[in-house]
Amino acid sequence: QVQLVESGGGVVQPGGSLRLSCAASGFTFSVYGMHWVRQAPGKGLEWVAFIRYDGSNKYYAESVKGRFTISRDNSKNMLYLQMNSLRAEDTAVYYCASKTLYGNFDYWGQGTLVTVSS
Amino acid sequence: QSALTQPRSVSGSPGQSVTISCTGTSSDVGGYNYVSWCQQHPGKAPKLMIYDVSKRPSGVPDRFSGSKSGNTASLTISGLQAEDEADYYCCSYADTYTPNWVFGGGTKLTVL
């Protein structure tokens, strides 16, 4: 069965950096696009970034453009989110989500919490 | 990238039907048949319930159905059950300047 497991969250100071990882299994990772979605405490879902199956195209929300970079390693079935110049408003649970048989966001990981605080 | 508009809350009694609306623009909901609905229980990851406006993933009960008219999409849950109590989010593909995806603010469904 499809499994997505995020890691890399933690507490970071404003202006700092963090790299999130998402380990995928149970499907042919290399042929499907992947998303990052975040959810601030007590708030709704916010799309963050998308990467095509081969990494050829990447799209970002305006709120993170220029600061976050999505990438993938199809040889390792891994998705990444490099987050730089972090702000307090980036505090959230970050989920990776797939775009496979059922379209966008069909499978989700359990999320990893990122807290930006001094 | 403005969020789609959903009611903050809806409620219904067991066995009844409820409908949650999701209003966008011609650049997102109205322009593409790529509306999804996700269910999220407290402290849990979201779960896809409807994709491509009205399609159900395998394993999702047929009590859940989706539709769209113009710039507004809707999720209808019939035969409400206690376990349906959760937050529901709509999401649409959008293409304003570049491809992106936009979520609704979420609707809290209470089963009375």
Side-chain angles (χ1 to χ4, degrees):
Chain A
Q1 70 282 18
V2 173
Q3 190 169 15
L4 300 171
V5 179
E6 302 92 339
S7 61
V11 180
V12 61
Q13 292 187 340
S17 298
L18 211 57
R19 189 176 87 151
L20 305 183
S21 300
C22 171
S25 61
F27 66 106
T28 308
F29 179 75
S30 61
V31 303
Y32 293 109
M34 294 292 296
H35 294 271
W36 285 101
V37 177
R38 68 184 180 183
Q39 186 169 35
K43 302 297 184 182
L45 301 172
E46 179 188 14
W47 173 74
V48 173
F50 172 77
I51 185 169
R52 282 177 54 108
Y53 70 100
D54 58 357
S56 60
N57 291 92
K58 306 172 185 181
Y59 306 109
Y60 299 92
E62 286 297 321
S63 57
V64 306
K65 197 173 291 185
R67 300 187 300 122
F68 290 12
T69 301
I70 188 172
S71 63
R72 64 191 298 159
D73 185 337
N74 286 343
S75 69
K76 297 181 179 178
N77 288 353
M78 293 293 295
L79 175 72
Y80 304 102
L81 185 68
Q82 177 66 43
M83 303 185 297
N84 299 331
S85 302
L86 282 162
R87 307 165 180 168
E89 53 265 35
D90 296 319
T91 295
V93 174
Y94 285 74
Y95 297 98
C96 61
S98 61
K99 177 179 185 280
T100 63
L101 296 177
Y102 302 118
N104 293 288
F105 316 110
D106 54 353
Y107 296 100
W108 297 69
Q110 86 289 348
T112 187
L113 176 62
V114 173
T115 302
V116 184
S117 174
S118 55
Chain B
Q1 294 173 339
S2 300
L4 306 176
T5 301
Q6 296 182 234
R8 293 288 295 271
S9 64
V10 297
S11 63
S13 300
Q16 288 186 333
S17 294
V18 295
T19 296
I20 300 171
S21 61
C22 170
T23 301
T25 69
S26 57
S27 295
D28 40 63
V29 174
Y32 307 93
N33 288 324
Y34 295 133
V35 176
S36 304
W37 290 89
C38 291
Q39 175 193 67
Q40 186 180 36
H41 288 106
K44 300 294 187 181
K47 175 187 175 184
L48 183 69
M49 305 303 283
I50 295 289
Y51 70 103
D52 292 354
V53 176
S54 60
K55 299 176 182 176
R56 275 187 312 275
S58 175
V60 172
D62 59 7
R63 302 185 295 104
F64 292 83
S65 63
S67 63
K68 190 185 84 167
S69 177
N71 296 337
T72 298
S74 298
L75 172 71
T76 298
I77 309 171
S78 59
L80 270 178
Q81 299 181 3
E83 59 262 36
D84 298 334
E85 183 163 299
D87 293 322
Y88 290 84
Y89 294 91
C90 62
C91 178
S92 176
Y93 172 81
D95 194 346
T96 44
Y97 302 101
T98 60
N100 62 91
W101 287 262
V102 60
F103 281 91
T107 299
K108 169 65 177 177
L109 168 63
T110 301
V111 180
L112 302 170

